Amino acid sequence: MKTINNLFDFWEEGNRELFKNNDSSNEMIIKIINRSSRSTSFYFGFNILFYSAFILACIILVSMNLPMYAGNPVVRSVLIAQMVLCILFLSYGMFMFAKFRETKNYRKSITELLAGQLRFYKTYNDGWMVFSTLAVLILIFNLNIMVDYNNGIYPIYNKSLYIAINIAIFIFIYGIQKAGSLFNQRKLRNYLSDLESGLYGNTLKMEKQRKWQTVAFIVLFVVLTGVLILGILKSLESAN
Amino acid sequence: MNQQNRDEFVSLIQQNIGIIYKICNIYGGAFKDDLKQEIIYQLWKSFTSFKGNSKFQTWMYRVALNTALFESNREKRKFAELNPSYDIADHSENPEEKVILVNQLYRHISKLKKIDRAITLLYLEKCSYREIAEITGLSEKNVGVKLTRIKEKLRAMFERQNH
């Protein structure tokens, strides 16, 4: 242990020597603080904003379809229900964005941050993934009824197939999002476990598993894409 | 934030830029520059919250380490092969050898778990157990236990390297 304690003797001086040519000018610092963030959290925030824009598009489409299908009580009820859902999803998106910003409060201790982020992924984000996936389905439905408009009638010839395709799309989009979220949760859980239990190996084990998770993610993506394509082919087949 | 705030921030960062470079060397891998930019950016964003209740360095370690832990997913280790390899107990007076020793240490620290790297850095920076506990959220006792284990690990790494 004595040798490790000797680290103090050269740590500061060695570092000074190591970084003596590094840029620490005013200009460099000012340039950085004037830019915008390109961090992973920036992309996550972007994801929330992207889906919120998606939901907004749904609201616009539903409000365009409503007068077209005013004479069809079934479609009209469905559209009103979708409009209410979309407004609720959008409000949830804004709430999520605020909650997400809270999890990025880097003034907290590492333990507090980890616990907060884990809570966020396990609760708020899970709901958001379901809602954003439903918004995609609502958008597809509204695009279909707009394109196939026929005097206020929207016939579904094969109901079970229609439901199956919608379920396949839901599983596909939700599955992809969930896989990414599970990986994040796992990483945070392992950090927290490393901190609190003092046991060795969690994050190191995770790093080794990372490759397998990537493979599993690709397999899941291929399978779900296959299910989606099969569903579309089946629907085309039955339409013909 | 006004001009006075900005000048104060720039001056404080300049005085403590070494902290950022050390953290980037430990967590940044091949993306040190990206991480440096992100840390400075996050420090700037959080600067209004710094009220001087704690030491600036303690606040800076906290924000910078959290940024390194939570914002840096890209981590490709890239360390040049070091030759010759110096024994840590040699107590070299030569500045070049000190750089090599520090580089060896960085290489070993980078093999530790991310959380342990943070604790090691704070220890090397002569932070007290209390400060380390404050930054990580661990108890002081737990910090002591972890540091003992980390030192054992580092010693084993140096021994393996020198044999």
Side-chain angles (χ1 to χ4, degrees):
Chain A
M1 206 66 80
K2 184 175 173 290
T3 51
I4 295 299
N5 286 331
N6 290 343
L7 298 175
F8 282 137
D9 299 337
F10 61 84
W11 174 251
E12 205 45 54
E13 208 180 318
N15 271 300
R16 239 192 329 271
E17 196 65 28
L18 190 65
F19 301 129
K20 70 179 175 192
N21 296 324
N22 285 22
D23 184 12
S24 59
S25 64
N26 275 8
E27 292 71 30
M28 180 272 286
I29 298 168
I30 290 168
K31 200 174 154 193
I32 292 170
I33 62 179
N34 283 336
R35 75 185 183 109
S36 59
S37 176
R38 286 288 174 273
S39 62
T40 48
S41 61
F42 169 82
Y43 291 110
F44 191 87
F46 179 77
N47 167 289
I48 299 174
L49 290 177
F50 174 78
Y51 276 106
S52 297
F54 217 82
I55 297 168
L56 206 62
C58 287
I59 293 174
I60 295 168
L61 274 179
V62 173
S63 49
M64 283 166 77
N65 283 328
L66 258 173
M68 288 159 71
Y69 288 89
N72 185 332
V74 178
V75 178
R76 195 183 56 212
S77 317
V78 170
L79 289 175
I80 291 169
Q82 286 182 349
M83 175 70 94
V84 173
L85 280 177
C86 284
I87 292 168
L88 288 175
F89 294 166
L90 195 64
S91 318
Y92 190 82
M94 286 181 231
F95 167 77
M96 261 282 289
F97 197 68
K99 281 281 165 198
F100 173 69
R101 286 174 72 91
E102 272 176 35
T103 68
K104 293 286 159 188
N105 181 352
Y106 289 145
R107 286 157 278 156
K108 290 181 181 173
S109 72
I110 297 172
T111 314
E112 280 175 290
L113 259 179
L114 280 170
Q117 291 201 6
L118 203 52
R119 209 168 29 244
F120 173 83
Y121 279 111
K122 279 166 85 173
T123 54
Y124 304 117
N125 193 45
D126 253 6
W128 177 246
M129 287 188 300
V130 173
F131 299 156
S132 54
T133 309
L134 286 174
V136 175
L137 291 179
I138 293 174
L139 190 86
I140 294 171
F141 174 81
N142 277 279
L143 281 172
N144 280 338
I145 65 167
M146 184 178 263
V147 172
D148 295 340
Y149 178 72
N150 183 14
N151 293 322
I153 301 163
Y154 184 67
I156 299 171
Y157 298 110
N158 190 339
K159 286 193 178 70
S160 50
L161 187 66
Y162 183 82
I163 292 168
I165 290 172
N166 274 286
I167 290 173
I169 294 172
F170 183 89
I171 293 172
F172 175 74
I173 299 170
Y174 180 78
I176 297 291
Q177 291 195 82
K178 185 77 182 171
S181 166
L182 279 179
F183 177 74
N184 263 339
Q185 280 184 42
R186 195 190 175 95
K187 186 177 86 175
L188 295 171
R189 256 200 303 271
N190 283 330
Y191 278 177
L192 201 59
S193 160
D194 285 344
L195 258 176
E196 287 177 343
S197 68
L199 292 171
Y200 275 116
N202 281 323
T203 47
L204 289 180
K205 200 167 75 188
M206 192 197 76
E207 278 167 22
K208 283 178 191 163
Q209 285 172 346
R210 198 174 178 163
K211 272 187 187 170
W212 289 108
Q213 281 175 340
T214 311
V215 172
F217 185 79
I218 293 167
V219 170
L220 183 74
F221 182 78
V222 170
V223 169
L224 291 176
T225 310
V227 170
L228 187 68
I229 292 170
L230 203 71
I232 293 167
L233 287 176
K234 276 272 182 196
S235 73
L236 286 173
E237 202 179 281
S238 62
N240 292 330
Chain B
M1 273 184 264
N2 58 29
Q3 184 69 33
Q4 195 191 340
N5 264 341
R6 204 173 80 162
D7 293 346
E8 189 190 354
F9 176 79
V10 171
S11 156
L12 284 166
I13 293 297
Q14 269 190 326
Q15 286 165 36
N16 297 285
I17 195 83
I19 293 175
I20 297 174
Y21 284 128
K22 286 170 201 164
I23 292 175
C24 292
N25 231 18
I26 289 173
Y27 289 98
F31 303 98
K32 289 187 187 76
D33 197 54
D34 290 353
L35 184 57
K36 177 188 81 181
Q37 293 190 29
E38 195 54 44
I39 288 174
I40 295 175
Y41 180 79
Q42 293 294 342
L43 283 164
W44 172 238
K45 258 177 65 182
S46 307
F47 189 58
T48 41
S49 71
F50 175 66
K51 297 190 174 72
N53 296 337
S54 56
K55 268 189 346 195
F56 179 77
Q57 281 90 343
T58 309
W59 174 85
M60 188 170 166
Y61 279 123
R62 187 182 281 201
V63 176
L65 281 171
N66 280 331
T67 307
L69 278 168
F70 295 103
E71 300 291 349
S72 136
N73 280 335
R74 300 185 300 170
E75 190 193 26
K76 194 177 164 192
R77 285 173 194 151
K78 190 183 170 190
F79 282 95
E81 281 305 313
L82 300 168
N83 198 20
S85 170
Y86 290 91
D87 191 326
I88 199 163
D90 277 352
H91 271 280
S92 172
E93 288 306 314
N94 181 346
E96 277 178 28
E97 289 178 11
K98 277 184 178 156
V99 169
I100 293 172
L101 280 169
V102 168
N103 261 324
Q104 280 176 8
L105 186 54
Y106 274 122
R107 181 201 292 256
H108 294 321
I109 294 172
S110 299
K111 287 177 193 159
L112 295 171
K113 289 180 291 177
K114 282 189 168 183
I115 299 289
D116 289 350
R117 291 183 220 169
I119 296 169
T120 312
L121 174 76
L122 295 169
Y123 171 75
L124 287 167
E125 292 288 289
K126 296 182 183 163
C127 289
S128 66
Y129 278 20
R130 193 176 171 181
E131 281 173 306
I132 300 176
E134 199 186 308
I135 293 164
T136 57
L138 292 170
S139 67
E140 285 181 53
K141 195 179 162 192
N142 207 344
V143 169
V145 172
K146 277 193 158 292
L147 271 171
T148 308
R149 288 177 181 172
I150 290 168
K151 283 184 197 172
E152 278 168 12
K153 251 195 153 185
L154 284 173
R155 189 185 52 176
M157 286 179 193
F158 273 107
E159 277 174 5
R160 261 200 307 275
Q161 174 195 285
N162 293 324
H163 287 126

